[in-house]
């Protein structure tokens, strides 16, 4: 959008290929990368410059960035994966965060050679009932897992909308089944991993499960409470934690710009998408927290309007959404 408005635009990407989560987070079976490559080719033909394998703040210093560009947009995502080190056995070999599995699997599809973390011939257990867990589920199936089990702390939702729980037009609280779930494996609800069990060589061999209930304490904080005395042991050679993201990764770029994260782990901004650093704007997951690509697209268009206005004094570019009111920074 900025290129079409007449600006010279350069996109820096620290990965070896352009595309971010569309490239390395979403599996090939869910979105063929030829679609992404086609759009990138169009953007290059229009004049947008792409630089891969460059981490701004390290390979390109903040001083060089500021000296070379009149405005900066931070679209760095919210890739700091949530972990749970309180579960005994978390440090056993074979227990990984979801993105540690998905990224090399996608690189294998790009022709970079076998993934170092594969589900082939293994019993796979996925903790987390969201989209990232479903992506791990489908990837593990395609890699040739012996079994795939996805665990969710919450009870199984109903198959049809309950108007008392989520009346129209609110987002319906119903069971959502992806194509990956229909292919193989099993989903288990209202359970939690009590412990990762290992063998004599330090590899995970099983998980101990217990039926649980999700409650809120007096302060509204989420608590997962065991509701059964008996535990169940489930074979596990590969465990994947897909339990969400905690916000923007800590990076030299933010330190160099003097930008602090909000309490939500995101980059705050004012009503014009500008951060506490003058001439530096933010959009997408870096601003909202981990969310859907449609929000990133909408915010990207709105920040283009804001930057165009910042540089020229006015803009005719569309601005479909406004930034959520968030604190600019925390001490």
């Amino acid at each position: 959008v900025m290129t079409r408005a007449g600006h010279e635009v350069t996109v820096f990407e620290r990965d070896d290929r352009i595309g971010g989560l569309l490239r390395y987070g979403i599996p090939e079976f869910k979105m063929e990368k030829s679609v992404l490559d086609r759009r990138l080719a169009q953007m290059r033909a229009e004049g947008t410059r792409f630089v891969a394998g460059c981490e701004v703040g390290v390979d390109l210093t903040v001083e060089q960035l500021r000296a070379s560009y009149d405005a900066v947009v931070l679209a760095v995502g919210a890739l700091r994966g949530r972990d749970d080190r309180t579960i005994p056995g978390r440090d056993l070999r074979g227990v990984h965060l979801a993105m540690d599995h998905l990224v090399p699997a996608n690189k294998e599809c790009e022709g970079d050679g076998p993934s170092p973390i594969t589900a082939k011939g293994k019993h796979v257990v996925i903790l987390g009932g969201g989209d990232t867990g479903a992506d791990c589920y489908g990837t593990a199936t395609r890699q040739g897992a012996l079994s795939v089990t996805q665990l969710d702390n919450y009870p199984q939702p109903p198959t049809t909308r309950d108007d008392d729980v989520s009346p129209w037009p609110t987002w319906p609280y119903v069971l959502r089944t992806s194509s990956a779930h229909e292919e193989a494996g099993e989903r288990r609800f209202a359970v939690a991993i009590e412990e990762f069990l290992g063998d004599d060589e330090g590899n995970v061999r099983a998980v101990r499960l217990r039926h649980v209930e999700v409650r809120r304490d007096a302060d509204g904080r989420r608590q997962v409470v065991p509701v059964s005395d008996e535990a169940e042991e489930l074979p596990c050679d590969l465990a994947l934690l897909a339990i969400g993201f905690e916000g923007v990764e800590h990076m030299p770029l933010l330190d160099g710009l003097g930008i602090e994260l909000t309490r939500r782990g995101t980059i705050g901004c004012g009503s014009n998408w500008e951060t506490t650093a003058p001439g530096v704007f933010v959009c997408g997951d870096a601003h909202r927290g981990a969310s859907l690509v449609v929000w990133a697209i909408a915010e990207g268009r709105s920040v283009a309007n804001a930057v165009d206005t910042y540089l020229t004094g006015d803009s005719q570019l569309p601005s479909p959404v406004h930034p959520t009111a968030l604190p600019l920074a925390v001490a």
Side-chain angles (χ1 to χ4, degrees):
V1 175
M2 291 290 294
T3 300
R4 294 173 184 174
H7 300 284
E8 293 184 1
V9 179
T10 302
V11 178
F12 292 98
E13 170 61 70
R14 68 179 177 181
D15 282 332
D16 57 344
R17 295 182 179 90
I18 303 296
L21 282 180
L22 291 179
R23 173 76 64 185
Y24 286 142
I26 299 175
E28 178 76 10
F29 72 84
K30 198 171 182 180
M31 190 192 80
E32 296 179 352
K33 299 308 176 283
S34 59
V35 176
L36 177 59
D37 291 334
R38 184 177 62 206
R39 177 52 63 91
L40 289 172
Q42 175 188 332
M43 295 174 68
R44 287 189 178 97
E46 291 174 342
T48 301
R49 176 173 175 252
F50 293 93
V51 180
C54 179
E55 182 174 357
V56 181
V58 178
D59 304 307
L60 178 73
T61 68
V62 171
E63 290 75 20
Q64 291 171 322
L65 179 74
R66 287 297 219 170
S68 301
Y69 298 94
D70 299 306
V72 175
V73 176
L74 301 178
V76 295
L79 298 174
R80 183 152 44 94
R82 182 173 291 115
D83 204 341
D84 190 348
R85 295 280 174 180
T86 66
I87 304 176
R90 165 62 184 86
D91 294 324
L92 290 168
R93 284 192 297 272
V95 182
H96 303 278
L97 295 180
M99 296 307 297
D100 294 339
H101 174 239
L102 290 176
V103 171
N106 275 311
K107 288 190 173 185
E108 182 176 354
C109 291
E110 295 276 4
D112 289 353
S115 170
I117 302 174
T118 179
K120 184 176 181 179
K122 297 178 181 179
H123 296 287
V124 180
V125 173
I126 301 164
L127 178 58
D131 287 341
T132 303
D135 291 344
C136 290
Y137 193 114
T139 300
T141 300
R142 282 157 178 76
Q143 289 178 333
L146 290 180
S147 68
V148 183
T149 307
Q150 185 176 9
L151 310 178
D152 194 330
N153 293 160
Y154 291 92
Q156 181 172 329
T159 56
T160 58
R161 182 199 291 266
D162 185 338
D163 289 334
D164 292 331
V165 176
S166 53
W168 188 90
T170 62
W171 183 249
Y173 175 66
V174 294
L175 178 66
R176 290 178 171 82
T177 301
S178 72
S179 58
H181 293 131
E182 295 176 338
E183 295 168 348
E186 178 186 11
R187 284 188 285 178
R188 301 278 302 274
F189 295 90
V191 293
I193 296 177
E194 186 176 70
E195 182 179 2
F196 295 105
L197 305 174
D199 60 19
D200 294 336
E201 298 178 353
N203 302 302
V204 66
R205 65 167 183 82
V207 293
R208 180 176 292 127
L209 303 179
R210 195 176 293 274
H211 288 283
V212 297
E213 184 177 292
V214 179
R215 302 172 183 170
R216 298 284 176 178
D217 64 14
D219 296 321
R221 290 173 297 198
R222 178 178 178 271
Q223 291 184 319
V224 181
V225 182
V227 294
S228 64
D229 295 329
E230 296 183 1
E232 174 187 354
E233 191 171 306
L234 186 68
C236 176
D237 307 302
L238 175 63
L240 302 171
L241 305 185
I243 51 178
F245 298 87
E246 294 186 335
V248 177
E249 293 176 305
H250 300 290
M251 56 185 71
L253 171 60
L254 300 185
D255 295 334
L257 291 171
I259 293 176
E260 298 182 37
L261 299 180
T262 69
R263 291 183 178 86
R264 298 175 57 248
T266 58
I267 300 173
C269 66
S271 59
N272 65 341
W273 301 91
E274 192 173 15
T275 69
T276 52
V280 179
F281 300 78
V282 66
C283 65
D285 285 3
H287 162 252
R288 298 188 66 85
S291 188
L292 302 175
V293 68
V294 290
W295 276 114
I297 293 171
E299 291 200 0
R301 289 174 175 168
S302 291
V303 85
N305 174 286
V307 175
D308 191 30
T309 301
Y310 172 80
L311 295 174
T312 68
D314 191 20
S315 180
Q316 299 301 313
L317 297 176
S319 182
V321 294
H322 297 284
T324 304
L326 293 172
L328 287 176
V330 293

